[in-house]
């Protein structure tokens, strides 16, 4: 059974891999045997922390930098990465941003940036990498969703809209591609100790109320996503399609 989780010989493209959940997923996939292509808005092309950790595991790493809110930069990255790595077996759409402001103050510039990074770029990447997977009859695509795929949140209308759309996009792509050998799924993090939740963790009242609702009684850690990502990227999940897997310490069951 354990052999089904072996990713040796696979190549995984992980967006937003410089830190947090994305970095943990990249390391988890490398630990399972995959070589990693990493891209983030501020990732060093060589010598990054994630590259050092991946190569220390005996796996290959190639890094790129891309601003996912810039459509031209995105297409340039896609052209470059496809030329450098013609066969990408696993795509992890993890890059994302969150911009907080009440709806009445949530200007076009905030909305557009969040939607471009969290939704538009992820569809374009999935389409351009996914078409090669469909042609080969094999591939795995994993999105990072959110609790706000299911809930509305507070003062993050763009983020909530983008993550709700990700849940629908996962099902839409799965409906088209599951029968062609491409598994499309998502992981929905709960409240995780990352840069995105720093404001919440630094607010004593919000932090206490959040912890009170989490049955497991703690904030999640990026490392909690290694196992779920390896599962969805592996043959062990060959009959899993169109699913958003909650990794939330029990939050949504409360």
């Amino acid at each position: 059974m354990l052999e089904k989780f072996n990713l040796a010989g696979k190549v995984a493209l992980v967006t937003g891999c410089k830190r947090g959940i994305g970095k943990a997923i990249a390391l988890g996939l490398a630990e399972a045997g995959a070589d990693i292509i990493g891209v983030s808005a501020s990732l060093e092309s060589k010598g990054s922390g994630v590259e050092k950790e991946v190569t220390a595991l005996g796996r290959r790493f190639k890094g790129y930098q891309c601003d996912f809110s810039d459509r031209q930069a995105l297409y340039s990255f896609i052209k470059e990465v496809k030329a450098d790595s013609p066969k990408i077996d696993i795509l992890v759409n993890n890059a994302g941003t969150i911009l907080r402001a009440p709806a009445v103050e949530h200007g076009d510039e905030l909305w557009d940036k969040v939607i471009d990074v969290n939704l538009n770029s992820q569809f374009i990447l999935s389409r351009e990498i996914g078409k090669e997977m469909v042609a080969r009859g094999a591939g795995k695509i994993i999105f990072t969703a959110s609790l706000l795929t299911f809930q509305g949140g507070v003062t993050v209308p763009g983020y909530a809209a983008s993550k709700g759309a990700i849940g629908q996009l996962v099902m839409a792509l799965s409906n088209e591609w599951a029968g062609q050998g491409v598994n499309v799924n998502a992981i929905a993090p709960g409240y995780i100790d990352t840069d995105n939740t720093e404001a919440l963790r630094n607010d004593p009242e919000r932090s206490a109320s959040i912890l009170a609702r989490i049955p497991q009684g703690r904030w999640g850690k990026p490392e909690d996503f290694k196992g779920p990502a390896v599962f969805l990227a592996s043959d062990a999940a060959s009959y899993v399609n169109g699913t958003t897997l909650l990794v939330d310490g029990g939050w949504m069951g409360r």
Side-chain angles (χ1 to χ4, degrees):
M1 183 65 214
L2 290 178
E3 187 58 31
K4 288 184 175 292
F5 293 88
N6 189 343
L7 301 180
K10 303 294 186 182
V11 175
L13 168 57
V14 183
T15 73
C17 71
K18 185 172 182 177
R19 55 183 176 271
I21 292 171
K23 180 180 179 182
I25 288 175
L27 292 175
L29 297 176
E31 288 168 12
D35 293 321
I36 305 298
I37 301 167
V39 56
S40 292
S42 60
L43 183 70
E44 302 89 341
S45 59
K46 292 185 179 180
S48 66
V50 63
E51 177 180 0
K52 292 174 182 176
E53 292 186 54
V54 167
T55 55
L57 294 167
R59 309 314 312 165
R60 292 191 293 271
F61 182 93
K62 186 167 180 59
Y64 298 84
Q65 188 175 111
C66 180
D67 177 357
F68 290 104
S69 68
D70 182 332
R71 188 71 57 89
Q72 184 176 350
L74 173 63
Y75 276 110
S76 294
F77 162 68
I78 291 170
K79 182 178 180 180
E80 184 179 5
V81 76
K82 289 176 75 171
D84 291 343
S85 304
K87 184 172 180 283
I88 295 171
D89 304 286
I90 302 158
L91 169 63
V92 180
N93 283 310
N94 172 75
T97 190
I98 187 167
L99 297 173
R100 301 178 186 276
V104 296
E105 301 170 10
H106 205 85
D108 291 354
E109 71 284 357
L110 301 184
W111 176 272
D112 289 346
K113 181 168 184 177
V114 171
I115 296 298
D116 278 337
V117 173
N118 293 6
L119 180 60
N120 294 341
S121 69
Q122 299 199 19
F123 171 69
I124 292 168
L125 264 174
S126 298
R127 183 188 66 209
E128 297 303 311
I129 303 299
K131 67 175 63 174
E132 309 294 343
M133 295 178 174
V134 168
R136 292 195 306 270
K140 308 282 187 176
I141 299 178
I142 304 167
F143 289 83
T144 297
S146 169
L147 292 180
L148 299 197
T149 301
F150 309 97
Q151 300 176 320
V154 180
T155 70
V156 286
Y159 185 84
S162 70
K163 292 301 184 178
I166 287 297
Q168 295 300 116
L169 181 58
V170 164
M171 292 186 286
L173 295 179
S174 180
N175 288 343
E176 293 191 37
W177 295 348
Q180 300 182 68
V182 180
N183 299 81
V184 184
N185 294 287
I187 298 171
Y191 284 93
I192 312 301
D193 186 352
T194 65
D195 292 349
N196 275 359
T197 61
E198 184 176 6
L200 295 176
R201 287 182 285 108
N202 289 339
D203 182 329
E205 290 187 9
R206 287 295 305 281
S207 182
S209 67
I210 288 167
L211 283 173
R213 179 173 164 165
I214 301 173
Q216 198 164 346
R218 68 169 175 86
W219 288 78
K221 302 174 183 177
E223 292 73 21
D224 292 323
F225 294 85
K226 289 183 175 183
V230 169
F231 167 62
L232 291 177
S234 74
D235 288 342
S238 62
Y239 200 60
V240 180
N241 299 278
T243 292
T244 296
L245 174 62
L246 284 158
V247 182
D248 65 348
W251 173 279
M252 286 299 295
R254 195 62 175 256

